[in-house]
Amino acid sequence: MPQSLDSLNQNHSLADRLRFEAGEGGLTRAVITTDTCTGSAYLHGGHVASWRPTGGEEVLWLSGKSNYATGQPIRGGVPICFPWFGPNANDPAAPAHGTVRTRAWGVARTAADHTGVTITFHTAEPPWDVRLAVTFGKTLTTALVIVNDSETQATCEAALHTYFTVGDVKQARITGLSNTAYLDKVGGLNRRNQGSDPITFTAETDRVYLNTTARVTLEDPALRRRIILTKRGSDATVVWNPWIDKAAKMPDFGDHEWPGMCCIETANVGDHAMTLAPGASHTMSATIHAESL
Ligand code: BG6
């Protein structure tokens, strides 16, 4: 049974800090206002759509062409890719990036403390029980907690597919992934090495950085901002910008929007897929912090 707006507001709103409303496309979203930030998250996909620290600009990016409809992903914010990433290896007809980003989740609980407001979303994708706890405060933390709720071992992939707003992606630099190996998804699946240079964007970029657990920094001179991303329980990092041709091919992505975004995804995909014993759980989390340059 989907939770109605009335029941969500009765059971899970937090005075002056969190309320539920009909958002884009009539989809239900939580709206958060605290001393340290504003933000929003849709029950559809357990999808964080906005986070703006007080005194700063919006950190997440949303396409003006995004769909907001059951069965469709929201383009931007933080889609949750689960239980597979990209195309399904065994079923080409299955949706890209799994099943949970295109359906309504429930709200399990909400809470507030000195770090901010936390909303915990819940969904099930047998054999998986899936929770996403999002803390909106001076930092934004998204924690995906999966439990193998079955009697047999099971394997899955996951990504917190975070879209960041940048002033100009051609001037942006990502540090923290130097001297790591990556799978280059543009023009085949070639294994390459990043070398000592920071990542810059000069063409379509779609890479899975392997064995990467360290902090990553996105420097954005055009917005005079630095975004710092730390993570736990994640061994892979995906970096994506569609550039001109791919953006033009995506109906839910504006043709001229690509310079204003890039994705840095906290992930466990490919060789870093997770295999969990019956009853076992895994938490993968990302914390984002923004500061002026
Ligand atoms: C990235 C993938 O994570 O997501 C890309 O590495 C993909 O290959 C991109 O194009 C967007 O995927 P989608 O399904 O949201 O269009």
Side-chain angles (χ1 to χ4, degrees):
M1 267 291 274
Q3 292 160 297
S4 70
L5 257 185
D6 282 351
S7 80
L8 285 164
N9 275 316
Q10 264 163 34
N11 299 319
H12 296 297
S13 64
L14 299 169
D16 300 332
R17 297 201 215 177
L18 186 159
R19 67 189 161 79
F20 295 89
E21 65 175 27
E24 301 285 344
L27 297 177
T28 303
R29 69 181 169 205
V31 178
I32 293 94
T33 311
T34 74
D35 293 347
T36 52
C37 77
T38 58
S40 68
Y42 283 85
L43 274 65
H44 181 78
H47 196 122
V48 180
S50 161
W51 174 61
R52 189 173 72 77
T54 304
E57 299 295 321
E58 175 65 50
V59 171
L60 302 177
W61 178 88
L62 268 182
S63 171
K65 297 273 185 192
S66 178
N67 294 305
Y68 293 90
T70 304
Q72 305 279 341
I74 295 171
R75 175 69 69 193
V78 189
I80 305 301
C81 306
F82 183 84
W84 63 87
F85 179 80
N88 183 299
N90 305 313
D91 179 4
H97 288 328
T99 49
V100 303
R101 68 173 177 161
T102 52
R103 65 149 90 120
W105 295 38
V107 174
R109 67 186 297 260
T110 56
D113 67 13
H114 66 282
T115 61
V117 165
T118 300
I119 178 164
T120 304
F121 295 104
H122 175 252
T123 193
E125 178 60 39
W128 305 101
D129 180 86
V130 185
R131 275 169 204 267
L132 181 78
V134 186
T135 301
F136 292 87
K138 208 171 167 181
T139 60
L140 175 75
T141 296
T142 42
L144 182 72
V145 185
I146 56 167
V147 179
N148 176 1
D149 206 5
S150 77
E151 304 298 318
T152 49
Q153 175 176 287
T155 298
C156 63
E157 297 176 298
L160 304 166
H161 193 313
T162 311
Y163 286 76
F164 292 105
T165 293
V166 291
D168 177 8
V169 80
K170 286 180 269 179
Q171 296 179 49
R173 290 153 41 107
I174 296 174
T175 58
L177 296 169
S178 303
N179 300 313
T180 60
Y182 67 88
L183 296 177
D184 192 347
K185 291 170 74 177
V186 178
L189 206 56
N190 297 304
R191 194 182 168 102
R192 306 189 198 282
N193 200 290
Q194 177 57 34
S196 55
D197 291 338
I199 298 167
T200 52
F201 295 87
T202 55
E204 180 185 351
T205 303
D206 191 357
R207 302 175 181 175
V208 181
Y209 285 85
L210 307 169
N211 294 307
T212 46
T213 56
R215 174 172 114 142
V216 170
T217 300
L218 169 61
E219 279 178 29
D220 179 5
L223 283 187
R224 297 171 186 268
R225 177 165 79 179
R226 175 188 292 129
I227 293 168
I228 298 150
L229 192 153
T230 52
K231 58 181 187 158
R232 288 184 169 190
S234 156
D235 292 332
T237 310
V238 181
V239 175
W240 182 61
N241 178 284
W243 216 252
I244 302 164
D245 293 348
K246 187 157 182 179
K249 285 186 194 133
M250 291 189 288
D252 61 342
F253 197 115
D255 291 358
H256 305 292
E257 289 182 322
W258 60 270
M261 56 72 67
C262 72
C263 290
I264 305 175
E265 307 170 37
T266 294
N268 282 319
V269 301
D271 287 352
H272 296 299
M274 299 172 280
T275 297
L276 270 64
S281 71
H282 180 86
T283 301
M284 180 176 84
S285 69
T287 295
I288 297 160
H289 174 72
E291 55 190 39
S292 301
L293 271 181

